[in-house]
Amino acid sequence: MQGRAKYNEYIDGGRNARLLEHSVAYRVLIRSYQDSDGDGLGDLVGLTGRLDYIAELGVDVIVLSLYELTHQGDQAKPDDLMSLSTRLGTMLQLIDLISRARERRLKIILSIPASLAEAEVCDYWLKKGVAGFVPYQDPLLSDYRPGGGLNLKKLKRDLVAKARHDTTMIELESETTLRSVTLCAGDRYREEVAKMLATIMLTMPGVPCIYQGQEIGTPSPRQRFGRAELNAGAPMYWSDDEYAGFSEVAPQLTLDRIFQVVNVEAQDNDPASVLSYYRQLIALRKSSLILQDGAIKFIGDRGSILCYQRALDGYQLQVTGNLSSRYVAPAVEIAKGELVCSSYIGRGDLAKPLAPYEAVVTRVD
């Protein structure tokens, strides 16, 4: 049972609770993040070159997949999971990534399936410098259908289940799902939905985990007949250059023309962008003990309004989100509070109706 004990130490609440305490995580699919060697696929050196961007986002944990690192699937034997895929780079390059991440106060952790709890795989990667492990879990919106909108009762039920576990990762999407903005809205409200979902994710208990590109409101790539493709099939959109700043050659991934509009470079210095809003929310979470440690209480079931409070030592923050494309009257409690942030720039009067997919954080006395 030594393997199980090690798994418990690093995952099931022991050391892992401290490892992830007050953290905001960022999940990366290496092969779709940044190509450094011109083969059309991302690699470890490419990821290393983007560490400054990740650090400036405000996160402090990078989550990588053990299966991707080893180029194995869920039928792999433990011995197969103790060698790095040459498609991504060399072990020296992985160690360099971990070292340079530490210089930026970024921890590298691996997501692994619960079936590996009793394997010695964990020891092998710890010796390489990995900080710890998290169990793989399905993202919050994994069973939503494209364009189906947000079901308030279902979302609330799912959030309540997540809120019971302080070290649970709050993830909306991953490489195995469609993008959250594609699932929840059409192109018309892409930015509004991206910001509203960001507000929910970053004000919930647990460990918020952003999937690469989510922070710029990336939609799922469209293929023939308008079918949306899973996230694993598209590269990160860095700029509006020919290959989205991902590579100097045509990527071995689906490159949707949306990158000409939705990319990091276009949003980096725009205070109204999805990226700027993510940075604002992450900074708010990092500075707020209420958001880090406060209890949560959901309030009412009023139409399309999602409302909950976070409370600690007599102080409260309230999060109110409009999950619809209509203007709706805000909850009475909002008007009594003090505005902390809104997903719409320029909100002043708290008594004004909530705009389509607007989310507001208020301080409640």
Side-chain angles (χ1 to χ4, degrees):
M1 296 298 291
Q2 181 180 2
R4 170 51 106 177
K6 181 64 69 174
Y7 183 86
N8 287 343
E9 180 181 357
Y10 284 93
I11 293 185
D12 291 340
R15 174 168 172 171
N16 203 56
R18 297 191 299 274
L19 177 72
L20 296 176
E21 187 176 26
H22 300 164
S23 293
V24 177
Y26 186 76
R27 184 180 290 276
V28 171
L29 187 66
I30 302 170
R31 72 187 185 95
S32 64
Y33 203 63
Q34 179 68 63
D35 175 22
S36 73
D37 58 8
D39 67 353
L41 287 174
D43 47 55
L44 290 168
V45 173
L47 173 55
T48 302
R50 293 294 187 178
L51 286 176
D52 284 341
Y53 166 78
I54 297 174
E56 289 168 4
L57 186 59
V59 304
D60 37 31
V61 172
I62 298 174
V63 182
L64 305 179
S65 165
L66 177 60
Y67 281 158
E68 188 191 18
L69 279 179
T70 58
H71 195 57
Q72 298 291 336
D74 57 10
Q75 301 301 316
K77 298 178 181 179
D79 288 348
D80 298 327
L81 298 171
M82 291 191 288
S83 61
L84 181 67
S85 169
T86 57
R87 295 185 180 187
L88 300 178
T90 67
M91 187 58 73
L92 286 178
Q93 289 170 347
L94 176 62
I95 293 171
D96 183 60
L97 167 69
I98 293 170
S99 174
R100 292 178 184 272
R102 282 179 183 152
E103 292 173 0
R104 294 161 175 79
R105 298 186 177 182
L106 293 169
K107 302 171 185 175
I108 304 288
I109 65 174
L110 302 183
S111 64
I112 68 174
S115 60
L116 294 179
E118 298 182 25
E120 294 301 319
V121 175
C122 296
D123 284 331
Y124 176 82
W125 293 104
L126 289 171
K127 290 175 182 177
K128 301 301 181 184
V130 168
F133 307 90
V134 289
Y136 178 81
Q137 60 186 22
D138 290 330
L140 195 64
L141 304 179
S142 59
D143 58 350
Y144 278 68
R145 56 187 177 81
L150 283 165
N151 182 304
L152 178 61
K153 290 185 178 179
K154 183 182 185 309
L155 179 61
K156 181 177 176 180
R157 183 171 64 248
D158 293 341
L159 290 173
V160 168
K162 292 282 188 183
R164 295 192 183 117
H165 306 284
D166 289 340
T167 58
T168 294
M169 281 201 167
I170 308 297
E171 298 185 78
L172 299 179
E173 57 188 65
S174 74
E175 68 273 15
T176 63
T177 70
L178 296 173
R179 290 287 186 178
S180 53
V181 292
T182 299
L183 288 169
C184 299
D187 293 338
R188 180 181 177 187
Y189 291 109
R190 179 188 57 79
E191 291 188 8
E192 290 83 357
V193 168
K195 291 179 180 180
M196 186 267 293
L197 291 174
T199 308
I200 295 173
M201 183 178 67
L202 285 158
T203 57
M204 285 289 294
V207 181
C209 186
I210 303 160
Y211 178 71
Q212 63 179 60
Q214 184 180 331
E215 74 275 15
I216 58 173
T218 304
S220 295
R222 299 282 178 175
Q223 288 195 315
R224 294 180 63 189
F225 310 114
R227 182 174 66 86
E229 185 177 337
L230 298 182
N231 297 341
M236 180 74 177
Y237 301 150
W238 295 104
S239 70
D240 62 358
D241 293 342
E242 185 176 8
Y243 301 120
F246 167 76
S247 177
E248 294 182 355
V249 301
Q252 296 185 44
L253 302 163
T254 302
L255 189 58
D256 194 296
R257 290 184 180 275
I258 193 68
F259 80 85
Q260 297 171 341
V261 177
V262 181
N263 62 73
V264 171
E265 189 176 89
Q267 297 189 24
D268 196 24
N269 296 310
D270 179 2
S273 71
V274 177
L275 178 58
S276 293
Y277 189 64
Y278 261 91
R279 289 170 175 161
Q280 177 188 353
L281 282 174
I282 293 170
L284 172 63
R285 185 179 183 90
K286 290 286 186 178
S287 65
S288 172
L289 289 177
I290 299 175
L291 293 179
Q292 292 171 7
D293 297 325
I296 186 169
K297 176 184 178 183
F298 287 89
I299 302 173
D301 282 305
R302 190 167 66 90
S304 61
I305 296 291
L306 175 69
C307 188
Y308 53 90
Q309 291 182 346
R310 302 291 309 278
L312 181 69
D313 296 335
Y315 296 94
Q316 298 180 86
L317 290 178
Q318 180 164 301
V319 181
T320 308
N322 175 13
L323 276 59
S324 77
S325 59
R326 305 181 301 276
Y327 281 85
V328 296
V332 175
E333 291 83 359
I334 295 181
K336 299 178 182 178
E338 174 188 350
L339 180 66
V340 176
C341 72
S342 167
S343 59
Y344 275 65
I345 286 184
R347 168 169 282 278
D349 185 359
L350 290 174
K352 291 193 307 183
L354 289 171
Y357 299 108
E358 182 179 11
V360 175
V361 181
T362 53
R363 187 173 290 107
V364 181
D365 296 328

